[in-house]
C-alpha cells in the first residue's frame, strides 16, 4: 500500500493536450498595429469602392469614421490634465538631476539643431524636385482657416483662464453649437509657472507635489489603457483615411506627396541614425526601442496623444533617466516637430511659390529656415502643420490661398509627419543624456521584446516589480548569460540596477 502510494506520488501526471496558442510575436504591440493597418486598409478600400464618400458615408464608412474619431477623442480627453501634471512633475523631478539648467539648455539646443537639419533637407528637396511646377491644378483654391502669425503667438502665451480653455459657438439654422478647445501652449506656460512656484515655496509645497505626482500616475494609467486599444483605433483611422482620400486625391499632388515623404524618410532613416551612431550608440537598438511610439504616432496623428508611450520607451527602452525624461519628452511633444514644423513648411512654401510663379531669393530661403527653427512653439495647441505653414507663408509674403491646395491630402501627410516628430522627441533626450553621462547604456542595449507593455508593473520610482518566483529561483536555474533573454531576467536586472 505504501509502495503504491509512493509510486503515485512520484509519477508525474500525464500532460494534457496543449490548447492552441498564438506565436509570441503575434501578441506584440508592433505586430498588432501592423495587422490593424492591413485590416484598416482593406476595409477602407472596401468602403470606398462600395460608394462611401466623406459627405455621405455608407454603413462601413460611417463605422470606420466613428471608431477612428472616438479613439482620437479618447486620447485628447486626457491631454490637458496630462500636460499640466507632467510638466509640474518634470520640473520638480529636475531637483534630482545635477546640472538641470545645463540639461534644459542642451535639450533646447539639440531641438534647434535637428530642426535646422530637417528644414535644410526640405529646402533642398523643394528646389531639386520642383513639386509646385506643372501640377495641372487650377488656382481657385481658397483658405479661410486659422492662420499663424508672430504677434498671435506672443499674445497667445498669456492664458485667458487657468486651464487655457476656450469656447466657440456657431449657429446653424437656428441651432447653437458650442465647442470647447484648449491651447497647449498656454497650458504649458501655466504648468511651468506653477512648477517653478512650487519649487520656490519649498517644503510647504510638498503635499501639492505629492498630489500632483499621484494625479499624474492615475492619468497615465488611464491613457495607458487607451493606448492598449490602439490596434482597434488604427483600423478605424486608416480605414477612414483610405475611404475618404484614396489614391485619386493624392494623384493630383503626387510629386508634392512624394517630396514630403522622401524628406521625412531622410530625416528618420538617415539623419537620426547618423546622430545616434555619432554618439556611440546602436542604431538598431534606437529603432527597436522607439518603434512602438512611432507606430502609434503614425496612426493617431497626435504627438501629445502619443506622449505616455513616447516617455515610456524613452525611459525604459532607451535608458534616459526618468527625472530628465519627464521634463524633455513633454516639452518635445509640444515644441519639437521636425516633421510638422521643418520638413513640411519648407517644401510646402517652395511648392506654393512655384505654383504661383513666384521666384524665391536667398534671403527668403533663410527666412524659411529661421521660421522653421523658431516657430515650432507657435504650432502648439493649434492645427499643427497647417498653422505652421500659414506662419511661414505670411512671413515670406506668399499667398495663403496655397494652403487650400494642400488641405485635401493633409491627413495622409500628417501620419508621416507625426511619426518623425515623435522619433525626434525620443532621440534628443537620448543624445543629451549620453553627452552628459547619465544614459543607462545597459538598458539601452538590452534585448527587446517588441512589447512596450511587458514591464507594466512599474512602481512609482521607475523601477520594475520583480516576479517573486523569479527572484527566489536558484542561481543554477538558468545560465547567467541568458538571463537578459527573458522578461523576468530583464526585470530582475532592472530591479538590481
Amino acid at each position: 500500500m505504501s509502495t503504491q502510494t509512493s509510486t503515485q506520488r512520484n509519477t508525474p501526471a500525464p500532460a494534457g493536450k496543449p490548447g492552441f496558442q498564438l506565436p509570441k510575436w503575434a501578441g506584440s504591440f508592433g505586430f498588432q498595429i501592423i495587422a490593424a493597418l492591413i485590416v484598416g486598409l482593406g476595409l477602407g478600400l472596401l468602403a470606398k469602392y462600395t460608394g462611401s464618400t466623406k459627405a455621405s458615408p455608407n454603413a462601413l464608412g460611417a463605422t470606420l469614421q466613428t471608431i477612428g474619431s472616438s479613439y482620437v477623442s479618447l486620447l485628447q480627453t486626457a491631454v490637458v490634465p496630462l500636460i499640466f501634471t507632467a510638466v509640474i512633475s518634470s520640473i520638480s523631478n529636475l531637483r534630482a538631476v545635477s546640472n538641470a539648467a545645463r540639461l534644459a539648455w542642451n535639450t533646447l539646443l539639440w531641438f534647434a539643431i535637428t530642426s535646422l537639419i530637417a528644414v535644410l533637407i526640405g529646402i533642398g528637396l523643394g528646389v531639386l524636385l520642383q513639386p509646385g511646377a506643372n501640377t495641372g491644378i487650377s488656382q481657385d483654391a481658397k483658405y479661410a482657416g486659422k492662420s499663424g502669425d508672430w504677434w498671435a503667438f506672443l499674445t497667445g502665451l498669456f492664458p485667458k483662464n487657468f486651464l487655457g480653455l476656450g469656447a466657440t459657438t456657431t449657429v446653424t439654422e437656428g441651432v447653437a453649437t458650442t465647442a470647447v478647445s484648449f491651447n497647449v501652449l498656454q497650458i504649458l506656460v501655466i504648468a511651468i509657472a506653477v512648477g517653478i512656484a512650487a519649487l520656490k515655496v519649498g517644503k510647504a509645497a510638498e503635499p501639492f507635489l505629492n498630489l500632483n505626482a499621484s494625479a499624474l500616475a492615475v492619468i497615465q494609467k488611464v491613457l495607458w489603457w487607451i493606448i492598449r486599444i490602439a490596434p482597434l483605433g488604427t483600423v478605424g483611422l486608416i480605414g477612414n483615411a483610405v475611404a475618404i482620400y484614396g489614391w485619386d486625391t493624392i494623384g493630383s499632388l503626387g510629386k508634392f506627396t512624394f517630396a514630403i515623404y522622401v524628406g521625412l524618410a531622410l530625416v528618420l532613416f538617415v539623419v537620426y541614425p547618423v546622430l545616434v551612431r555619432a554618439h556611440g550608440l546602436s542604431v538598431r537598438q534606437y529603432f527597436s526601442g522607439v518603434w512602438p511610439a512611432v507606430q502609434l504616432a503614425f496612426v493617431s496623428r497626435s504627438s501629445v496623444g502619443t506622449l505616455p508611450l513616447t516617455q515610456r520607451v524613452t525611459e525604459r527602452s532607451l535608458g534616459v533617466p526618468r527625472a530628465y525624461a519627464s521634463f524633455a519628452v513633454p516639452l518635445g511633444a509640444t515644441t519639437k516637430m521636425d516633421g510638422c514644423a521643418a520638413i513640411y513648411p519648407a517644401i510646402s512654401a517652395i511648392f506654393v511659390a512655384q505654383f504661383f510663379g513666384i521666384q524665391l531669393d536667398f534671403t527668403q530661403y533663410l527666412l524659411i529656415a529661421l521660421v522653421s527653427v523658431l516657430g515650432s512653439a507657435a504650432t502648439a495647441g493649434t492645427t499643427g502643420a497647417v498653422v505652421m505653414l500659414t506662419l511661414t507663408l505670411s512671413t515670406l509674403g506668399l499667398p495663403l490661398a496655397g494652403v487650400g491646395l494642400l488641405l485635401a491630402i493633409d491627413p495622409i501627410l500628417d501620419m508621416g509627419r507625426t511619426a518623425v516628430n515623435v522619433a525626434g522627441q525620443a532621440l534628443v533626450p537620448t543624445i543629451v543624456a549620453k553627452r552628459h553621462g547619465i544614459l543607462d547604456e545597459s538598458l539601452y542595449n538590452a534585448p527587446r521584446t517588441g512589447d512596450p507593455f511587458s514591464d507594466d508593473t512599474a512602481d512609482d520610482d521607475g523601477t520594475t516589480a520583480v516576479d517573486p518566483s523569479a527572484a527566489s529561483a536558484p542561481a543554477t536555474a538558468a545560465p547567467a548569460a541568458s538571463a537578459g533573454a527573458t522578461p523576468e531576467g530583464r526585470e530582475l536586472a532592472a530591479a538590481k540596477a
Side-chain angles (χ1 to χ4, degrees):
M1 184 74 171
S2 60
T3 304
Q4 184 180 3
T5 304
S6 176
T7 303
Q8 289 174 346
R9 285 178 180 172
N10 294 331
T11 303
K17 284 187 176 182
F20 174 75
Q21 291 184 342
L22 288 171
K24 198 171 193 179
W25 51 264
S28 73
F29 182 74
F31 173 80
Q32 292 170 1
I33 292 291
I34 293 172
L37 282 168
I38 296 172
V39 172
L41 177 64
L43 292 177
L45 289 173
L46 179 61
K48 182 173 181 61
Y49 290 113
T50 53
S52 182
T53 63
K54 185 176 183 178
S56 57
N58 59 20
L60 178 56
T63 301
L64 292 171
Q65 186 176 13
T66 301
I67 293 174
S69 60
S70 298
Y71 183 72
V72 172
S73 296
L74 283 174
L75 281 174
Q76 292 177 342
T77 298
V79 163
V80 173
L82 173 68
I83 292 179
F84 184 78
T85 55
V87 172
I88 292 176
S89 180
S90 66
I91 291 174
S92 64
N93 286 340
L94 281 177
R95 293 177 300 177
V97 180
S98 58
N99 297 324
R102 190 177 175 189
L103 274 174
W105 162 249
N106 274 267
T107 302
L108 295 173
L109 178 62
W110 275 99
F111 281 179
I113 290 172
T114 51
S115 294
L116 179 60
I117 295 172
V119 74
L120 290 177
I121 290 174
I123 292 173
L125 287 172
V127 173
L128 179 66
L129 298 179
Q130 300 282 305
N134 304 318
T135 61
I137 307 174
S138 63
Q139 297 189 12
D140 57 356
K142 289 182 173 55
Y143 175 67
K146 190 171 184 179
S147 300
D149 63 80
W150 292 105
W151 184 248
F153 163 62
L154 293 174
T155 57
L157 287 171
F158 300 96
K160 296 180 180 178
N161 54 68
F162 177 69
L163 295 177
L165 296 175
T168 304
T169 302
T170 57
V171 179
T172 305
E173 297 180 357
V175 179
T177 304
T178 301
V180 178
S181 60
F182 57 89
N183 188 309
V184 174
L185 188 60
Q186 291 182 6
I187 296 169
L188 194 64
V189 171
I190 295 169
I192 290 173
V194 172
I196 294 174
L199 289 184
K200 293 294 184 182
V201 168
K203 189 174 180 180
E206 288 298 326
F208 168 75
L209 292 176
N210 291 334
L211 175 63
N212 181 81
S214 298
L216 175 60
V218 172
I219 294 163
Q220 286 180 323
K221 177 59 70 174
V222 172
L223 263 169
W224 207 233
W225 291 339
I226 297 172
I227 290 172
R228 278 183 174 273
I229 61 171
L232 179 60
T234 299
V235 172
L237 289 166
I238 295 298
N240 183 55
V242 172
I244 292 177
Y245 302 103
W247 291 108
D248 50 352
T249 306
I250 300 175
S252 58
L253 293 167
K255 190 186 289 188
F256 174 75
T257 305
F258 175 75
I260 293 291
Y261 269 93
V262 168
L264 296 174
L266 286 174
V267 171
L268 181 59
F269 297 115
V270 177
V271 174
Y272 290 172
V274 167
L275 291 175
V276 169
R277 197 63 192 154
H279 287 82
L281 299 172
S282 166
V283 174
R284 180 178 180 181
Q285 288 296 103
Y286 165 72
F287 277 116
S288 64
V290 79
W291 203 248
V294 172
Q295 287 178 313
L296 181 61
F298 182 83
V299 297
S300 69
R301 296 167 48 203
S302 172
S303 295
V304 176
T306 313
L307 173 59
L309 185 55
T310 309
Q311 186 164 335
R312 170 168 285 213
V313 299
T314 303
E315 294 173 8
R316 302 191 189 181
S317 296
L318 301 181
V320 179
R322 169 172 288 191
Y324 169 53
S326 62
F327 162 78
V329 178
L331 180 65
T334 55
T335 61
K336 170 64 179 166
M337 302 181 184
D338 287 345
C340 289
I343 290 287
Y344 178 74
I347 297 178
S348 299
I350 294 173
F351 168 89
V352 172
Q354 293 169 353
F355 183 82
F356 288 99
I358 300 172
Q359 188 70 31
L360 297 179
D361 56 27
F362 182 73
T363 303
Q364 289 172 308
Y365 286 124
L366 285 179
L367 276 176
I368 293 175
L370 181 65
V371 172
S372 298
V373 173
L374 299 181
S376 295
T379 67
T382 62
T383 321
V386 174
V387 172
M388 185 63 197
L389 175 56
T390 64
L391 181 65
T392 306
L393 296 181
S394 299
T395 304
L396 296 175
L398 296 174
L400 288 180
V403 180
L405 296 167
L406 307 177
L407 285 179
I409 60 169
D410 190 71
I412 303 297
L413 303 177
D414 199 27
M415 294 176 181
R417 292 189 312 234
T418 311
V420 171
N421 291 345
V422 167
Q425 290 157 16
L427 172 75
V428 169
T430 304
I431 290 176
V432 173
K434 169 66 175 177
R435 295 173 68 88
H436 284 259
I438 60 175
L439 185 71
D440 186 348
E441 294 192 48
S442 62
L443 187 57
Y444 182 95
N445 293 314
R448 311 272 193 241
T449 63
D451 182 7
F453 308 102
S454 60
D455 59 349
D456 206 14
T457 54
D459 57 24
D460 291 335
D461 62 2
T463 58
T464 304
V466 182
D467 185 353
S469 62
S472 61
T476 57
S482 64
T486 64
E488 291 81 4
R490 280 190 297 278
E491 290 176 354
L492 183 57
K496 288 179 178 178

